[in-house]
Amino acid sequence: MNKIFIRTIVLSLLCAIILSLTACGKVKTAEVPKGRYVEEDLSSNLDLGKDGYIYDLVRLEDNTLEIIADKKDVPLEVYISKDSGKTWSKKNISNSIIPTDNKISSATADEKGNIIIAYGLPKVYKGNIEYHTFDSKISYAKVDAVGKSTPLSITLPKITDITVYNSLHSIKVAANGDLFGVDGSGSVYQIDLANGKIKNKYTSNSGISLYTIVGTTLIAATSSKMAQYDITTGKALADLTILKDYIPITESGDFIMTNGIAKNELCFSNKKGLYRYILGGNLVERMVDGSLSSFSSLDMFNVDVVEITDGQYLALYRDKENKFSFMNYEYSKTIASVPSNELTVYSLKDNATIKQEILLFQKSNPDIRVIFETGLTEKDAVTAEDARKTLNTEILAGKGPDLIVLDEMPLNSYIDKGILADISDIMGAYIPKGELFENIANAYKKNDKFYATPLRFDVPVMFGGQETLNKITDLKSFGDYIVDFRKSKPNATIFGFNDGAQLVRELFAVNADSWINEDGTVDKNKLTDFISLTKYIYKDAIKVANPKVLFSMQTRLASGQSSKNSKVKAFDSFWPLSVNNGTDQLSIGSISWKSDLMHITSAISNKSSLNYKMFNEEKKYFEPLTVVGINSKTANVENAKKFLTYLLSEEGQKVDLLGGFPINKNVFSEVMKAKDLTEEIGSVNNGIKMVMPSEKQFTDFTAMMEQLKTPIFQNSIILDAVLEASDKCLNDEISVDEAVNSIIAKINLYLSE
Amino acid sequence: MNKNRNWKQHTDVLFILPSLLGVSIFVLIPFLDVIKRSFQNVTGENFVAIKNYSTIFHNRAFLLASGNTLKFIAICIPLLILFSLILAVVLKEKIPGAKLLKRVFLIPMAIPVASIVLLWRLVFHEHGILNGVLAGFSVQGQDWMNTNAAFTILVGSYIWKNIGYNIILWLAGLGAIPEAIYEAARVDGAGWWKSFVYITLPILKPTLYRITTLAFLNSFKVFREAYLVAGSYPHDSIYLLQHLFNNWFRELSLDKMSAAAVVVAIVIFIFIIIMKKALDKQEE
Amino acid sequence: MKKIIILVLLIILAILICSPILFMLGGSIMGNSELSSYLSPVLDNKSGFVHWSLIPNYPTLRSFVALLLDSPEFFVMFWNSIKMTLIILIGQLIISVPAAWGFARLKIPYKNTLFNLYVILMLMPFQVTMLSNYLTLDKLNLMNTQYSIILPAIFSTFPVFIIHRFFCSIPVSIIEASKLDGANKFQVFLMIGIPLGSAGIVSAMILGFLESWNLIEQPLAFLEDKTLWPLSLYLPNIGLELAGIAFAASIVAIVPSLLIFFGGQEHLEAGIAASALKE
């Protein structure tokens, strides 16, 4: 037994030696060739208007590009381009075959320019942009190169139990002239265009979501694999396991497949870039790096790609406003394959605005590659604490990021310890010209120097009747107001909130600095007041809450998850309209989009007794969003400053994916003046007609923004302690005194370190 | 001849050289760096003499954490040693199945920390199993990890984990005592208790040095449990030095951290020396 | 009679000591609905208390299937752990055995001082030297590679401390005898030291295994790339919401430890024992 055991150990040790020689450490990547693909926005002349849509983009055999599209009230339009997508001209074709009220559901063209369309009566959904679904009968037709149209009769077998009509979408014509399309059950059909007969049917048990035809091979993506079929025989071939990892598990919208020019070339794209794969090979080439191009963009989606000439690609993008744009990708030998300068941006949590800024910045600075790192990802539960520690170690070793997003980071400690570089020069370039909200920027001034600045901000306000607002000046008077109000209306709701934690978070943000003394100790009496008033307000709201929302309001904090789940924003957007109709007396939240302001002013126009005000007229709180600073130990100061300058510039400040107002005043007034929100203006919501704020209302609001001076209280450790104890206190598990004692014990420990 | 002896001594050094080199690179030199930093300010630019040391001795968190750590060591090591000695003595009394029992006692050592933490959460939570059991006896439960009971739980968990190991250490010590000595004592009319106090204990004294050192080493490891279960700011009673080091690091207070590390090293050094002097005189 | 009472008491104690394993084993073969009904007081902060039953109503291997088949990251981490642990053990073997022999049996200047230094370094909590360690590893370009965990662990002074005791307990007469037979000191080390100290070496390896199998702080601090993480970081990363998987992962993580433990039990016991003895 013992001998065997020792032998086993010796043997496994030997195995390990072999393992250690082959594995461990980082995998070395092969050297990248010189040169790289460069993206060029063609800013083409194609304008389909807001309700237009492009159904397909194809390259014809004579290298002309053709687009099959529609426009408001025009069911079919075809454009061609002879100059690789720069200019587009309309092609004269008849669209009379499509009955009025019908719309195209899917369209394509073959190499010769013959167009195949599928159309039917749509169900229209009006939102910010219009979109349709089809659940009626779909007809098919062919429109040939000279514009003559002939109906096609294609009959698909019904899918049992699902719909009455089955139809093809994502149609394509293969080189052999057959029509392909996916039906409602996720099967691909191969149809002989001459007689409309089904030649072959391809199914995969998890359903085909996307396909393309390369030569005589049908390549079909399902949620879990890439299947291959031979379209001459209709037989399945071996799965393309090499491509499995490229299929995004989430939305199929992030994945595009198409055939290249060569007979056996497959092109595909995802958020990480554009790839090429030669069938039968064992190499997947990344042609275009997503992080250096619009493939990774968050406000544009890649919808189609064509290879125009060998190795030159044209990608079609659509943004959230349904605007289409073309990007050309051409290989440049002169540009270094990897930008010579690297800049790292760190954020504890994902930040869509910063990611978009990075993309735009890189476009105008092709020699700088910006890498975005996040400390926390949704998938694994590294605590914020661990992430901060890892960042600190890197910073101290001089390996830290160049630019740091300081939301939920120990900002003051970083400034005190010299981690953040002095950025007074950058701020100095903007502030004297009056280009920034100086009052916001100055809130981050320390010893006459700037070390960090928020890029955006919003403002927490209360909204309600002027009389009510006059009565509420702080938490204490809020409590008094409730007592008073209850005397006359015992059952009316006063205001709403999502859940207890949200209420605590909001009240904490604008009150915590009143119970933390200058010397870093906690004022026990004031904290007791804070907790007991918060509890009183909560209990009162629960007592009269509408049963429909009661459950949500009583949701408890998940155990041990407070810091991981804490939101970036303390305040939720709010809904002043329920105050207008008298359901609520008050609404609490932050104004962080122009539409928030519009809701408020529309309600005020409707009922002039309503108004809004800041939480504390002395402190004038604002909520900073995306606070950034530069690592003082970085060797890359120049580029980091360049990026920060860009972030504060008019161009950079226009990017807005998370809300909040720009700190750049010029952009702020531009946003205010813009004639947008057209969808909402004029509509009636909760009995209020939405109107654009008046000139005076804009001026008043801007004046208010110019007065803001104190950032809301942000300290994740103190907040965690308060959230945890108040969760128990609000639910009567512990008394107010116990809650206060537990908070004080933790905070004093923290503050005494 | 002389030359030969020199050569021999050089080759002697060869045995420990690789280890010494590695230890120097990965442990010793980094530690010297800590000592250097303890006399500098945060950024490592200025010499501040003993300012960091005076800061930490006025720092409430440091005093609390070191107090707790010392208290923990002072309570759990004697308890562990006592319990394991009792069990070892019992097991030595030719109990059937003693061998199997010994193995069973060792099992807790193999359980990963994270699994233990998972159980803690279920057992000691406000709505956890322990309170459920107590409620069955109409006893009002509490949120155990947020009371002084947390300290007891930590001590209990430490003893639970290490007792098997220590039993074997004691059994070895006991096994080495020749039976003849007891025989002689019995002839002299000494009872079991007398021979235990006058014969067994003195012989076990050197064993105690090793047991204590290893128990000490393992006592630092309970931090993992405390941290994984209660985070950076647990209940005051289980706020240990490692918590403080962690938090200082998060706030980048390297000055205080280095000074405290040096103090800890000095305390450990003194402890080892005293232990060695008191218990291990005959060794080497 | 007295012996029976003692035995019963000991058995009760043993069951108590082992109950966590039984608890986890039960949880790992419990269905999700059963688990969440037991755990809901803790999970959703509902009133009432967690119940538990050691034997599930409807035993199922679903959690194991989910863990072993549908969690590729679990596999990656499992192999990372195996790989790192094995390399660490080999390294410790190569480095610490001769060192322990040196400290125990050879004439080395300042030997005692050095050995005391080793003991002190062994007792240093990780947090104390974390930053300096980071700086060193960074200079050696080892950050974010598994060597940043492996190399410092190989040079841990703990196995030296354990094995040293063994070599000290080898009777001087045996060594003298072999020297008389003409063996040089390397031969003595290989022919006498290693075989007679093998129990100690194995026991140091087993303890080393447990230590490296459970590393938490070091990989968290030094490995950024999560694909390099060891198994010990898998568990802290899953919440109670996935309790079934958590229990199954605990069981899978314990298995190698128990195998090594019971396989090497005799050596371990002898090893632990000898380390307590005087020569």
Side-chain angles (χ1 to χ4, degrees):
Chain A
M1 165 64 203
N2 283 340
K3 262 193 182 160
I4 294 173
F5 177 70
I6 289 173
R7 272 185 205 155
T8 324
I9 287 197
V10 169
L11 217 94
S12 47
L13 293 187
L14 277 175
C15 291
I17 293 176
I18 297 161
L19 252 175
S20 68
L21 293 175
T22 53
C24 246
K26 279 183 185 165
V27 179
K28 289 246 166 74
T29 39
E31 252 188 52
V32 266
K34 186 119 172 87
R36 101 173 112 100
Y37 272 86
V38 184
E39 178 178 271
E40 183 198 355
D41 188 341
L42 293 180
S43 30
S44 77
N45 64 341
L46 190 75
D47 184 14
L48 297 170
K50 211 172 168 178
D51 295 319
Y53 195 84
I54 295 178
Y55 293 94
D56 205 4
L57 164 65
V58 270
R59 185 179 57 86
L60 308 186
E61 54 188 2
D62 63 349
N63 284 338
T64 309
L65 296 175
E66 188 162 291
I67 277 176
I68 301 109
D70 68 1
K71 253 170 132 170
K72 200 176 173 69
D73 302 325
V74 185
L76 173 64
E77 284 214 320
V78 177
Y79 295 86
I80 52 168
S81 171
K82 299 271 186 198
D83 56 2
S84 306
K86 287 186 196 73
T87 55
W88 295 87
S89 53
K90 206 174 135 187
K91 189 173 163 187
N92 271 330
I93 48 133
S94 147
N95 53 33
S96 58
I97 195 164
I98 306 174
T100 344
D101 299 340
N102 272 23
K103 272 188 96 69
I104 290 180
S105 65
S106 177
T108 188
D110 68 9
E111 289 184 328
K112 307 228 162 20
N114 297 310
I115 295 158
I116 312 290
I117 50 173
Y119 55 93
L121 192 68
K123 234 188 187 173
V124 181
Y125 297 88
K126 285 233 183 231
N128 189 19
I129 56 166
E130 199 179 284
Y131 68 99
H132 336 90
T133 59
F134 294 87
D135 55 7
S136 56
K137 189 175 169 13
I138 295 289
S139 313
Y140 305 88
K142 176 175 171 182
V143 183
D144 66 20
V146 290
K148 206 182 86 187
S149 45
T150 29
L152 291 171
S153 128
I154 297 169
T155 319
L156 298 181
K158 272 184 196 166
I159 317 164
T160 41
D161 302 339
I162 300 182
T163 43
V164 189
Y165 301 103
N166 191 10
S167 62
L168 294 179
H169 61 85
S170 314
I171 56 175
K172 270 177 194 146
V173 181
N176 68 358
D178 287 345
L179 179 72
F180 285 77
V182 188
D183 81 341
S185 69
S187 303
V188 174
Y189 286 87
Q190 180 179 2
I191 287 156
D192 189 339
L193 269 182
N195 52 20
K197 292 262 161 63
I198 296 170
K199 269 190 175 173
N200 286 310
K201 180 184 173 187
Y202 306 93
T203 46
S204 172
N205 38 18
S206 45
I208 293 163
S209 51
L210 200 74
Y211 73 96
T212 193
I213 302 130
V214 177
T216 58
T217 312
L218 169 73
I219 295 162
T222 74
S223 56
S224 57
K225 62 174 188 178
M226 279 283 213
Q228 264 192 124
Y229 306 91
D230 186 332
I231 62 168
T232 52
T233 62
K235 295 259 161 64
L237 305 170
D239 290 345
L240 281 170
T241 43
I242 187 172
L243 297 183
K244 199 184 150 235
D245 294 341
Y246 295 92
I247 311 172
I249 309 151
T250 52
E251 292 156 58
S252 57
D254 289 343
F255 189 57
I256 292 298
M257 268 202 308
T258 179
N259 53 322
I261 286 184
K263 274 223 162 60
N264 53 358
E265 178 190 351
L266 171 74
C267 297
F268 61 94
S269 77
N270 57 26
K271 289 268 177 221
K272 289 186 179 140
L274 177 67
Y275 300 82
R276 179 166 82 171
Y277 171 67
I278 305 297
L279 293 192
N282 50 16
L283 177 73
V284 180
E285 281 175 278
R286 180 160 77 175
M287 312 302 282
V288 183
D289 182 347
S291 65
L292 296 174
S293 60
S294 302
F295 284 104
S296 63
S297 174
L298 294 169
D299 59 359
M300 290 206 304
F301 307 102
N302 177 222
V303 289
D304 214 340
V305 174
V306 268
E307 188 173 9
I308 322 172
T309 58
D310 188 21
Q312 187 189 349
Y313 299 89
L314 181 71
L316 176 64
Y317 290 90
R318 179 169 61 85
D319 69 6
K320 286 178 176 139
E321 302 283 301
N322 226 6
K323 206 171 154 298
F324 286 90
S325 51
F326 293 93
M327 300 283 172
N328 180 56
Y329 296 93
E330 217 165 335
Y331 191 77
S332 161
K333 280 180 192 159
T334 49
I335 289 185
S337 57
V338 174
S340 43
N341 296 304
E342 262 188 13
L343 194 67
T344 318
V345 178
Y346 178 94
S347 171
L348 186 66
K349 291 177 179 164
D350 197 18
N351 187 316
T353 304
I354 285 283
K355 280 203 280 199
Q356 191 62 19
E357 300 275 17
I358 288 173
L359 192 71
L360 296 174
F361 176 71
Q362 283 185 151
K363 273 194 185 170
S364 43
N365 296 279
D367 58 326
I368 304 178
R369 182 192 189 112
V370 188
I371 295 162
F372 182 67
E373 281 176 359
T374 49
L376 290 177
T377 50
E378 271 178 33
K379 218 177 147 203
D380 50 42
V382 180
T383 61
E385 188 85 16
D386 291 330
R388 288 184 197 115
K389 269 191 317 207
T390 314
L391 178 68
N392 285 351
T393 0
E394 284 170 18
I395 290 176
L396 289 170
K399 294 257 167 154
D402 303 306
L403 203 92
I404 310 170
V405 175
L406 295 153
D407 296 4
E408 294 183 68
M409 300 302 279
L411 173 63
N412 286 327
S413 164
Y414 277 7
I415 296 178
D416 293 343
K417 270 127 206 175
I419 297 300
L420 296 177
D422 183 0
I423 53 167
S424 305
D425 50 343
I426 297 176
M427 303 306 280
Y430 282 106
I431 292 177
K433 285 190 264 167
E435 284 180 32
L436 297 185
F437 278 102
E438 201 179 340
N439 51 317
I440 306 276
N442 279 347
Y444 286 82
K445 212 171 186 175
K446 241 191 174 175
N447 309 327
D448 264 341
K449 280 179 181 160
F450 291 99
Y451 294 98
T453 177
L455 296 180
R456 312 187 79 82
F457 64 96
D458 63 21
V459 49
V461 294
M462 280 185 281
F463 175 82
Q466 186 63 56
E467 218 176 296
T468 312
L469 294 183
N470 286 345
K471 285 180 196 155
I472 303 173
T473 49
D474 55 15
L475 207 54
K476 178 91 180 34
S477 51
F478 196 171
D480 294 342
Y481 164 76
I482 297 176
V483 175
D484 200 37
F485 180 80
R486 284 285 164 246
K487 282 179 190 154
S488 54
K489 289 182 180 154
N491 296 314
T493 55
I494 293 177
F495 75 117
F497 45 83
N498 284 344
D499 54 42
Q502 178 64 26
L503 175 74
V504 173
R505 209 175 264 137
E506 292 182 348
L507 296 178
F508 173 86
V510 291
N511 282 291
D513 51 5
S514 72
W515 45 260
I516 294 176
N517 298 327
E518 289 284 316
D519 62 350
T521 52
V522 176
D523 185 324
K524 191 172 176 181
N525 290 333
K526 284 184 182 162
L527 176 62
T528 312
D529 285 347
F530 173 77
I531 296 290
S532 52
L533 281 166
T534 306
K535 183 171 181 176
Y536 180 73
I537 293 168
Y538 174 80
K539 287 285 179 193
D540 177 74
I542 292 292
K543 211 163 54 198
V544 297
N546 181 336
K548 276 185 213 157
V549 294
L550 186 62
F551 180 75
S552 140
M553 283 165 87
Q554 287 180 313
T555 310
R556 300 282 306 266
L557 207 62
S559 63
Q561 290 284 309
S562 48
S563 75
K564 172 89 178 164
N565 286 1
S566 71
K567 297 177 186 169
V568 175
K569 274 178 161 181
F571 283 87
D572 264 0
S573 280
F574 65 140
W575 198 238
L577 304 181
S578 53
V579 177
N580 176 70
N581 61 26
T583 319
D584 285 350
Q585 306 303 313
L586 269 180
S587 181
I588 288 178
S590 65
I591 305 182
S592 52
W593 304 85
K594 192 179 170 186
S595 55
D596 291 337
L597 181 63
M598 184 187 69
H599 290 151
I600 287 182
T601 54
S602 301
I604 293 176
S605 315
N606 191 51
K607 203 187 254 180
S608 58
S609 62
L610 298 175
N611 207 349
Y612 65 100
K613 75 164 191 180
M614 289 184 271
F615 268 87
N616 187 322
E617 293 294 346
E618 269 168 55
K619 299 255 176 123
K620 298 188 193 325
Y621 289 108
F622 66 91
E623 179 173 19
L625 300 168
T626 317
V627 180
V628 292
I630 293 175
N631 179 357
S632 63
K633 298 207 171 178
T634 175
N636 217 346
V637 190
E638 283 312 305
N639 287 326
K641 287 195 168 173
K642 200 170 169 186
F643 186 48
L644 183 56
T645 308
Y646 166 82
L647 288 174
L648 292 169
S649 73
E650 293 189 18
E651 192 194 347
Q653 288 271 293
K654 278 178 192 157
V655 175
D656 176 16
L657 293 170
L658 295 175
F661 295 105
I663 191 174
N664 186 311
K665 266 188 171 172
N666 298 345
V667 181
F668 178 83
S669 49
E670 212 175 293
V671 168
M672 286 297 152
K673 277 181 205 139
K675 297 236 180 304
D676 51 358
L677 301 170
T678 45
E679 292 289 328
E680 275 196 82
I681 297 285
S683 66
V684 176
N685 199 330
N686 282 29
I688 303 172
K689 193 170 171 218
M690 291 294 139
V691 287
M692 199 49 122
S694 69
E695 195 66 33
K696 172 152 190 319
Q697 282 166 329
F698 273 139
T699 327
D700 288 351
F701 182 65
T702 311
M704 186 171 151
M705 298 299 98
E706 280 168 343
Q707 288 173 16
L708 301 172
K709 61 177 188 191
T710 319
I712 56 168
F713 193 83
Q714 291 172 314
N715 182 312
S716 44
I717 288 156
I718 299 181
L719 175 63
D720 276 354
V722 171
L723 277 178
E724 203 181 296
S726 58
D727 179 65
K728 287 179 188 151
C729 181
L730 297 187
N731 289 286
D732 295 317
E733 281 174 5
I734 54 173
S735 67
V736 171
D737 280 339
E738 282 171 313
V740 168
N741 287 335
S742 118
I743 293 171
I744 288 187
K746 272 189 193 167
I747 298 183
N748 277 349
L749 200 54
Y750 162 66
L751 294 172
S752 69
E753 282 171 351
Chain B
M1 180 64 199
N2 207 357
K3 226 180 185 179
N4 196 17
R5 237 196 77 200
N6 260 340
W7 183 85
K8 263 190 180 166
Q9 279 207 346
H10 285 306
T11 51
D12 277 2
V13 174
L14 276 185
F15 276 83
I16 66 159
L17 202 60
S19 168
L20 199 58
L21 267 177
V23 169
S24 307
I25 292 171
F26 291 105
V27 194
L28 200 55
I29 295 174
F31 190 70
L32 293 177
D33 182 57
V34 170
I35 297 178
K36 190 188 88 185
R37 275 173 186 274
S38 74
F39 296 106
Q40 290 174 331
N41 70 346
V42 176
T43 44
E45 281 150 2
N46 297 315
F47 177 77
V48 296
I50 58 157
K51 186 172 153 278
N52 295 332
Y53 290 90
S54 69
T55 314
I56 59 165
F57 280 112
H58 290 100
N59 184 300
R60 201 181 70 85
F62 177 73
L63 298 177
L64 176 70
S66 38
N68 280 341
T69 311
L70 283 177
K71 187 175 139 202
F72 181 80
I73 291 171
I75 290 180
C76 71
I77 294 185
L79 276 182
L80 174 70
I81 289 172
L82 192 65
F83 284 157
S84 54
L85 180 60
I86 292 172
L87 280 173
V89 170
V90 171
L91 280 171
K92 208 189 151 235
E93 298 293 316
K94 300 202 174 59
I95 302 260
K99 215 170 163 185
L100 183 73
L101 282 171
K102 261 192 316 194
R103 294 188 173 191
V104 169
F105 289 141
L106 267 177
I107 287 181
M109 260 184 100
I111 302 180
V113 179
S115 312
I116 297 171
V117 168
L118 195 72
L119 290 180
W120 276 30
R121 284 220 212 125
L122 294 179
V123 174
F124 299 113
H125 192 270
E126 266 178 292
H127 302 296
I129 294 170
L130 180 59
N131 281 347
V133 172
L134 287 178
F137 297 102
S138 315
V139 177
Q140 176 66 39
Q142 47 183 323
D143 184 5
W144 298 96
M145 292 313 294
N146 270 322
T147 61
N148 284 323
F151 186 79
T152 318
I153 296 172
L154 207 62
V155 171
S157 148
Y158 167 82
I159 292 177
W160 168 73
K161 206 167 177 170
N162 292 291
I163 195 150
Y165 186 65
N166 279 41
I167 290 174
I168 292 175
L169 289 173
W170 282 125
L171 279 175
L174 290 168
I177 304 174
E179 201 55 30
I181 303 186
Y182 291 110
E183 300 272 327
R186 230 167 279 150
V187 170
D188 288 351
W192 182 90
W193 181 245
K194 261 204 165 141
S195 38
F196 179 74
V197 173
Y198 293 107
I199 301 171
T200 318
L201 286 186
I203 297 184
L204 286 178
K205 219 168 109 184
T207 311
L208 190 59
Y209 166 71
R210 312 227 125 225
I211 290 183
T212 314
T213 313
L214 289 169
F216 195 72
L217 173 70
N218 289 320
S219 71
F220 283 117
K221 291 181 186 156
V222 290
F223 165 71
R224 289 180 190 168
E225 276 101 331
Y227 177 70
L228 287 178
V229 92
S232 300
Y233 295 96
H235 186 262
D236 266 15
S237 66
I238 54 167
Y239 179 75
L240 302 174
L241 273 172
Q242 290 101 314
H243 285 102
L244 180 60
F245 281 129
N246 252 328
N247 297 339
W248 270 342
F249 191 68
R250 180 198 59 228
E251 302 286 331
L252 287 173
S253 306
L254 298 181
D255 44 354
K256 290 186 242 174
M257 201 175 151
S258 314
V262 172
V263 172
V264 169
I266 292 171
V267 171
I268 293 177
F269 179 75
I270 294 173
F271 173 82
I272 292 293
I273 295 301
I274 293 175
M275 286 281 300
K276 236 180 143 70
K277 284 263 155 67
L279 301 171
D280 207 29
K281 268 181 204 148
Q282 305 98 313
E283 219 196 8
E284 250 80 45
Chain C
M1 188 58 209
K2 204 172 129 199
K3 273 193 182 170
I4 294 176
I5 295 171
I6 291 176
L7 185 64
V8 170
L9 285 177
L10 282 177
I11 289 174
I12 291 172
L13 189 66
I15 291 173
L16 265 179
I17 281 183
C18 283
S19 56
I21 287 236
L22 304 173
F23 193 102
M24 284 186 255
L25 210 56
S28 69
I29 52 169
M30 228 174 248
N32 271 340
S33 55
E34 193 177 353
L35 261 179
S36 48
S37 77
Y38 285 148
L39 300 182
S40 75
V42 167
L43 281 180
D44 312 328
N45 247 327
K46 282 199 188 117
S47 52
F49 300 105
V50 171
H51 301 277
W52 199 256
S53 122
L54 285 179
I55 299 148
N57 290 335
Y58 307 103
T60 164
L61 289 177
R62 194 165 297 164
S63 297
F64 284 97
V65 172
L67 181 74
L68 299 177
L69 297 182
D70 300 337
S71 324
E73 69 278 10
F74 176 80
F75 258 106
V76 172
M77 289 166 111
F78 189 84
W79 285 115
N80 282 344
S81 270
I82 298 255
K83 209 162 71 186
M84 294 204 289
T85 306
L86 279 178
I87 299 171
I88 288 173
L89 292 186
I90 299 167
Q92 288 186 344
L93 206 60
I94 297 169
I95 300 296
S96 58
V97 176
W101 181 255
F103 279 121
R105 286 298 182 190
L106 302 175
K107 282 195 188 109
I108 289 160
Y110 308 113
K111 190 169 84 171
N112 288 343
T113 319
L114 274 177
F115 192 71
N116 282 338
L117 187 67
Y118 267 44
V119 176
I120 290 166
L121 293 178
M122 177 178 89
L123 292 175
M124 280 287 161
F126 171 71
Q127 284 77 9
V128 171
T129 50
M130 176 166 65
L131 173 69
S132 320
N133 261 332
Y134 180 93
L135 297 174
T136 314
L137 292 168
D138 194 58
K139 278 205 190 86
L140 297 172
N141 258 331
L142 292 175
M143 275 310 295
N144 204 18
T145 71
Q146 288 173 343
Y147 290 110
S148 65
I149 313 300
I150 295 170
L151 284 176
I154 285 178
F155 294 105
S156 156
T157 55
F158 180 64
V160 180
F161 179 76
I162 295 285
I163 301 170
H164 170 253
R165 198 83 284 272
F166 269 85
F167 289 150
C168 285
S169 64
I170 296 172
V172 185
S173 52
I174 299 181
I175 295 174
E176 290 304 324
S178 66
K179 274 188 187 158
L180 285 178
D181 286 348
N184 68 26
K185 68 179 91 177
F186 294 102
Q187 283 165 330
V188 171
F189 169 60
L190 291 172
M191 314 300 268
I192 309 290
I194 291 185
L196 289 183
S198 66
I201 296 172
V202 173
S203 88
M205 291 298 110
I206 291 174
L207 293 172
F209 172 87
L210 289 178
E211 182 61 24
S212 14
W213 194 250
N214 282 311
L215 283 178
I216 287 188
E217 292 103 325
Q218 290 86 341
L220 257 185
F222 301 144
L223 294 179
E224 252 185 87
D225 186 349
K226 277 149 203 142
T227 57
L228 301 176
W229 277 11
L231 187 60
S232 43
L233 291 182
Y234 181 80
L235 265 177
N237 278 345
I238 34 180
L240 276 178
E241 301 78 42
L242 296 172
I245 294 196
F247 285 123
S250 303
I251 296 295
V252 176
I254 295 172
V255 167
S257 307
L258 284 188
L259 279 182
I260 297 252
F261 231 68
F262 287 120
Q265 182 93 36
E266 300 285 321
H267 290 282
L268 179 69
E269 273 172 33
I272 297 174
S275 70
L277 283 179
K278 280 201 41 69
E279 58 257 60

